[in-house]
């Protein structure tokens, strides 16, 4: 009888622990980024316009949010603009050159 109580108690404890476990986050959506000269050029334009509208240096996440693009696309656009000398990095922020 003691063994049955111990097993029941262990099962109840395990069930309570499972109920208290934090809910898993939904899996991140996988977004395909098209990498070709035309697409990256458009992302560069989006980044440039977002920085021009803000009028100040922004973080990459802020640029992506303002331009309504993913952070990956923002990085592609920033790379294009860096190569052209249109933007510069300062203290982990991106600003127009």
């Amino acid at each position: 009888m003691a063994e049955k109580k111990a097993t029941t108690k262990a099962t109840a404890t395990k069930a309570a622990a499972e109920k208290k476990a934090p809910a898993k986050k939904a899996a991140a959506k996988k977004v395909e980024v098209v990498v070709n000269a035309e697409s990256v050029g458009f992302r560069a334009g989006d980044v440039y316009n977002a920085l021009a509208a803000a009028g100040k240096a922004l973080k990459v996440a802020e640029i992506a949010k303002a331009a309504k693009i993913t952070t990956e696309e923002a990085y592609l656009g920033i790379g294009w603009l860096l190569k052209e000398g249109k933007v510069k990095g300062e203290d982990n922020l991106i600003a127009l050159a």
Side-chain angles (χ1 to χ4, degrees):
M1 196 66 163
E3 292 176 1
K4 188 173 184 179
K5 285 183 181 180
T7 305
T8 305
K9 186 175 181 181
T11 305
T13 305
K14 185 178 177 182
E18 289 175 357
K19 288 181 183 177
K20 292 181 183 178
K24 291 183 180 180
K25 292 183 180 178
K29 291 183 181 178
K30 205 170 195 181
V31 178
E32 186 176 323
V33 178
V34 178
V35 180
N36 59 39
E38 184 178 14
S39 176
V40 176
F42 282 123
R43 296 302 74 82
D46 294 339
V47 168
Y48 189 90
N49 290 332
L51 287 168
K56 63 178 183 175
L58 298 173
K59 293 180 181 181
V60 175
E62 294 171 330
I63 294 170
K65 185 176 179 180
K68 298 178 183 171
I69 58 177
T70 65
T71 54
E72 291 83 4
E73 291 171 321
Y75 279 118
L76 287 171
I78 291 166
W80 180 292
L81 294 171
L82 279 169
K83 179 70 175 166
E84 289 186 344
K86 305 274 183 179
V87 296
K88 59 184 176 181
E90 38 180 64
D91 300 325
N92 292 330
L93 299 174
I94 306 298
L96 293 176

